[in-house]
Amino acid sequence: MGEKRLYDRDGHKFVLLEGFGGGEMVPTNQVLIHDGDEAILLDPGGHKVHYELINAISSLIPINQLKYLFYSHQDPDIVAAVNAWLMLTDADAYISKLWLRFVPHFGVDELMINRLKGIPDEGQRFKLGHSELIFVPAHFLHSSGNFQVYDPKSKILFSGDLGASIGPDYVEVADFDAHIPYMEGFHRRYMPSGHANRQWAEMVSSLDIEMIVPQHGAIFPNAEMSRRFIQWVAELPGAAESMKATYAIPA
Ligand code: FE
């Protein structure tokens, strides 16, 4: 586990908290963005991660400045500890409106249910301290209600499951071609739609991106690696289209 300040200038911080989880749990990255006296935590993680993370965050900021939680989608490695986070902080939690009535199955106390906020399909601009973030639509990458976060100050895109790599022993991608095998199996199975892949690549090409940080594995630490990754996604076939042969009743 480690903490990496990917950006820290003029009262604006983008901090990567990496390598949480482990054992049978797929390791996860968490991100804390802090501006002025407000912070948002991206993809807070499951129960075990919660305990380790709360300590790590408390050493960075007064915990009462954690005003927002962001959930890229509804998977357990992201949402499972939502009730604990809501109990422990005063933060509001943002997730695609598609999942608002599903997340409470993780057990959200009735008193806190109105702090779960739905993000509309088209995404939104989001005020944090003196800065503004963008909740970028990334539906079907891989969840049907799915968002990423772009931070215009640091020019970093948090990409959720898109860009995930399983197993590399480095934190920053230095050789894109050598990195592909760590991403390929996951993306070819979890990203359903080649059409969505291409549309996403086209959309984010209009953003000025210095870095891409996924929820699992190594980050793309500069503009060139980010560009290579976006290009790779543009050509990535969708799982639903490539798996036609598996739609057969098992013998
Ligand atoms: Fe997921």
Side-chain angles (χ1 to χ4, degrees):
M1 286 179 303
E3 163 202 321
K4 239 175 148 52
R5 287 171 198 236
L6 301 180
Y7 183 95
D8 188 354
R9 226 173 289 164
D10 307 324
H12 188 85
K13 283 188 193 70
F14 190 113
V15 184
L16 169 67
L17 302 145
E18 53 88 17
F20 286 83
E24 288 302 307
M25 291 181 291
V26 59
T28 55
N29 296 325
Q30 277 72 38
V31 163
L32 188 77
I33 309 176
H34 188 232
D35 193 286
D37 57 4
E38 288 191 341
I40 185 168
L41 178 63
L42 313 185
D43 282 1
H47 294 291
K48 281 209 174 161
V49 172
H50 168 256
Y51 291 111
E52 298 166 8
L53 196 57
I54 202 88
N55 290 328
I57 292 174
S58 305
S59 70
L60 290 168
I61 59 163
I63 201 74
N64 64 356
Q65 292 189 357
L66 182 57
K67 293 281 201 293
Y68 310 104
L69 306 163
F70 168 88
Y71 295 89
S72 62
H73 62 293
Q74 82 291 5
D75 276 347
D77 58 324
I78 295 168
V79 182
V82 61
N83 196 56
W85 282 105
L86 290 173
M87 296 255 281
L88 213 89
T89 67
D90 297 325
D92 285 336
Y94 286 78
I95 189 163
S96 159
K97 65 174 184 168
L98 265 65
W99 305 121
L100 278 184
R101 301 198 59 208
F102 294 79
V103 166
H105 280 268
F106 281 115
V108 176
D109 200 283
E110 233 171 276
L111 290 170
M112 287 173 290
I113 205 82
N114 59 354
R115 284 164 52 208
L116 272 185
K117 311 282 186 193
I119 308 171
D121 270 352
E122 56 273 25
Q124 65 185 87
R125 303 248 164 184
F126 190 84
K127 199 177 162 307
L128 181 77
H130 309 294
S131 71
E132 189 181 62
L133 306 175
I134 306 175
F135 294 172
V136 179
H139 307 303
F140 306 106
L141 301 158
H142 68 96
S143 166
S144 41
N146 200 98
F147 288 94
Q148 302 174 343
V149 177
Y150 178 66
D151 174 11
K153 265 203 180 162
S154 64
K155 300 182 178 173
I156 303 175
L157 177 71
F158 174 77
S159 59
D161 271 341
L162 191 69
S165 51
I166 312 290
D169 58 3
Y170 47 85
V171 178
E172 300 187 357
V173 178
D175 179 341
F176 188 81
D177 293 319
H179 186 62
I180 292 175
Y182 294 109
M183 302 192 287
E184 200 145 40
F186 177 83
H187 286 77
R188 281 179 181 265
R189 182 63 182 83
Y190 282 82
M191 298 298 156
S193 162
H195 181 72
N197 295 344
R198 281 190 300 282
Q199 298 229 112
W200 175 86
E202 207 174 293
M203 175 188 64
V204 297
S205 297
S206 69
L207 295 172
D208 184 5
I209 296 177
E210 285 288 337
M211 230 183 260
I212 294 179
V213 175
Q215 195 223 345
H216 306 283
I219 68 171
F220 303 91
N222 53 47
E224 173 57 14
M225 287 298 153
S226 301
R227 192 191 61 75
R228 291 283 314 268
F229 174 66
I230 294 166
Q231 189 53 43
W232 183 76
V233 173
E235 287 160 21
L236 184 71
E241 294 116 32
S242 348
M243 287 181 70
K244 286 183 185 138
T246 57
Y247 291 93
I249 305 296

